[in-house]
Amino acid sequence: MAKQTQGKFRLVGALLLGGVALGVAASASYLVLGDDGRPEPVKVVLGDGKTGPPGMAWVPGREFLMGSSHKLAQPNEMPAHKVGVSGFWMDVNDVTNAQFRRFVQATGYVTTAEQKPKWEDLEVQLPPGTPRPDDSLLVPGAMVFVGTESEVSLRDYSRWWRYVAGASWKHPQGPGSSIEGKDDHPVVQVSYEDAKAYAKWAGKRLPTETEWEMAARGGLEQATYTWGEELLPQGKAMANIWDTQQKQPFPVVKDEKVQVGTMPVGSFSPNGYGLFDMAGNVWQWTSDWYRADAFKIQAQYRRAPVDPAGPADSFDPDDGIVPVGAPKRVTRGGSFLCSDTYCISYRTSARRGTDPMNGMSHLGFRTVMTTQQWKLAQTQKNGIASR
């Protein structure tokens, strides 16, 4: 590729980086407090296609402590506060490449990354007065983790992220990459709009942030991780994160034999509700707008809110480049890039805001549905929830 063309793609990448806010089940060891105040084991309930949607697990309704006051917690996770949630079904795994392919084949859907970027979507993520680039620079593509050859300052994430023309869910790293043989890996390079479109087609929806956190906790009140307090209990890896995958500091990738990326869904033990990969592998979209102060506001309510739908707008004063009110949706769970030296977002309370039009190579999603939605799906000819 000519140097001039490479320069154009780097320019687009720099613009888009301004919008990146930079990451077998039943077990009696998972306990919740029952109505009598005594601990009781969490029961795993999986849908079988008759009493519940296949491929989904039941998350029972309850009140829980959302957020954290732990020493590792960031200001946007504080304080821990009570929230109530009604029961719902959640996908056992993140939506996979195979599932997303069925959606695309059935609908002809074209993802955000496969379309030419719209200036109005980019402009709101950039500092006021940023000049519009030449139209030739706005080409389909997405953000790809490229790593570095040596250790660098962790203050500048543009060192290890790059906008790659032609990157999409079918080509996560760019035109030369493929998802062949990776049907069981989580789909990535999907924007919030893409995830929402899939959920609608499947007769489901994206989880609220509250639903996501309660599900991720698996019945463990205020535990640091979805499995408990130890990152590596008895030395066992519990999630696909940098700290258990790499033998070199983040974001160094100098050994071609060392693969950095997604793993098949369900590669690690599930949490107390039977949900896999609620930490690591890929970040997951939720339906909430992101506000850095959302938990502080919610904690002021006299009564614990029940099934909160999230803020009415976005607010992120911590980004440094992106306007504080730029549109962002909450993403949760961390990814294969999370490291204890940079991003410890595999913690259950960790949260971040992400440009809803942005696809990234470490970002996916899963869906939820209510019992009422499942019953409605049963009455429909094609059984929507089995897609």
Side-chain angles (χ1 to χ4, degrees):
M1 183 182 292
K3 290 185 178 180
Q4 182 179 7
T5 305
Q6 291 178 334
K8 288 183 178 182
F9 290 151
R10 282 198 294 270
L11 174 60
V12 175
L15 291 172
L16 290 178
L17 273 170
V20 181
L22 321 163
V24 112
S27 171
S29 63
Y30 290 85
L31 302 175
V32 295
L33 294 180
D35 294 336
D36 59 0
R38 297 180 180 179
E40 59 185 31
V42 173
K43 297 179 181 179
V44 173
V45 179
L46 302 177
D48 58 6
K50 295 180 180 179
T51 58
M56 304 189 84
W58 177 248
V59 181
R62 59 182 290 251
E63 191 174 88
F64 77 108
L65 277 175
M66 186 174 185
S68 177
S69 298
H70 191 275
K71 63 182 180 181
L72 293 177
Q74 300 299 306
N76 69 344
E77 303 168 39
M78 301 179 181
H81 57 288
K82 289 185 177 181
V83 183
V85 183
S86 302
F88 59 94
W89 294 94
M90 175 176 263
D91 291 337
V92 170
N93 295 306
D94 295 309
V95 172
T96 64
N97 287 319
Q99 290 173 311
F100 199 78
R101 182 187 299 111
R102 288 196 290 272
F103 159 61
V104 171
Q105 290 175 342
T107 64
Y109 185 83
V110 179
T111 63
T112 302
E114 296 170 290
Q115 302 177 48
K116 180 179 178 178
K118 297 178 181 178
W119 170 240
E120 52 266 34
D121 292 333
L122 296 175
E123 186 178 22
V124 295
Q125 301 289 339
L126 299 170
T130 299
R132 175 172 179 158
D134 187 271
D135 218 42
S136 63
L137 298 180
L138 302 180
V139 296
M143 300 305 301
V144 172
F145 171 75
V146 295
T148 60
E149 293 184 356
S150 59
E151 293 187 59
V152 296
S153 169
L154 298 182
R155 295 181 179 180
D156 182 9
Y157 46 75
S158 67
R159 301 288 295 274
W160 55 87
W161 281 101
R162 184 173 303 156
Y163 184 82
V164 176
S168 69
W169 72 274
K170 290 181 288 188
H171 308 287
Q173 307 301 316
S177 64
S178 170
I179 57 173
E180 184 177 353
K182 295 184 177 181
D183 276 2
D184 57 352
H185 283 237
V187 65
V188 295
Q189 298 295 16
V190 284
S191 69
Y192 169 80
E193 296 299 325
D194 299 333
K196 188 171 67 171
Y198 173 94
K200 182 179 180 181
W201 170 78
K204 306 175 186 181
R205 60 179 173 81
L206 295 178
T208 65
E209 182 177 17
T210 305
E211 289 173 331
W212 190 96
E213 183 170 326
M214 192 182 81
R217 291 190 175 281
L220 294 178
E221 189 82 318
Q222 283 294 287
T224 301
Y225 309 109
T226 67
W227 53 85
E229 286 301 321
E230 294 184 60
L231 177 60
L232 300 171
Q234 299 181 336
K236 181 182 179 182
M238 302 297 288
N240 178 20
I241 57 178
W242 188 279
D243 295 326
T244 58
Q245 180 180 187
Q246 303 304 314
K247 299 185 182 300
Q248 45 202 3
F250 179 86
V252 179
V253 183
K254 57 185 177 182
D255 185 349
E256 294 182 358
K257 295 181 180 179
V258 177
Q259 297 297 310
V260 179
T262 59
M263 293 178 66
V265 297
S267 292
F268 298 88
S269 300
N271 73 358
Y273 292 139
L275 302 168
F276 293 87
D277 304 316
M278 293 301 283
N281 219 15
V282 293
W283 285 91
Q284 301 169 40
W285 288 109
T286 76
S287 62
D288 287 25
W289 290 110
Y290 174 79
R291 285 191 66 96
D293 59 358
F295 289 7
K296 291 182 176 65
I297 295 173
Q298 205 160 256
Q300 295 174 2
Y301 298 158
R302 287 188 175 184
R303 296 181 180 179
V306 178
D307 296 327
D313 55 13
S314 301
F315 175 68
D316 186 2
D318 306 316
D319 192 288
I321 301 176
V322 178
V324 295
K328 291 184 179 182
R329 295 283 180 174
V330 175
T331 48
R332 288 294 212 118
S335 77
F336 58 83
L337 295 180
C338 280
S339 163
D340 63 0
T341 61
Y342 175 65
C343 159
I344 323 176
S345 293
Y346 39 76
R347 293 176 301 102
T348 315
S349 58
R351 56 197 298 265
R352 59 176 264 188
T354 304
D355 173 5
M357 302 305 293
N358 206 359
M360 305 184 78
S361 57
H362 68 340
L363 176 56
F365 69 102
R366 69 179 71 205
T367 64
V368 300
M369 71 188 316
T370 64
T371 297
Q372 290 72 24
Q373 287 175 311
W374 162 242
K375 290 180 177 178
L376 177 62
Q378 284 183 300
T379 65
Q380 298 186 11
K381 182 177 180 181
N382 295 324
I384 291 177
S386 64
R387 288 175 173 167

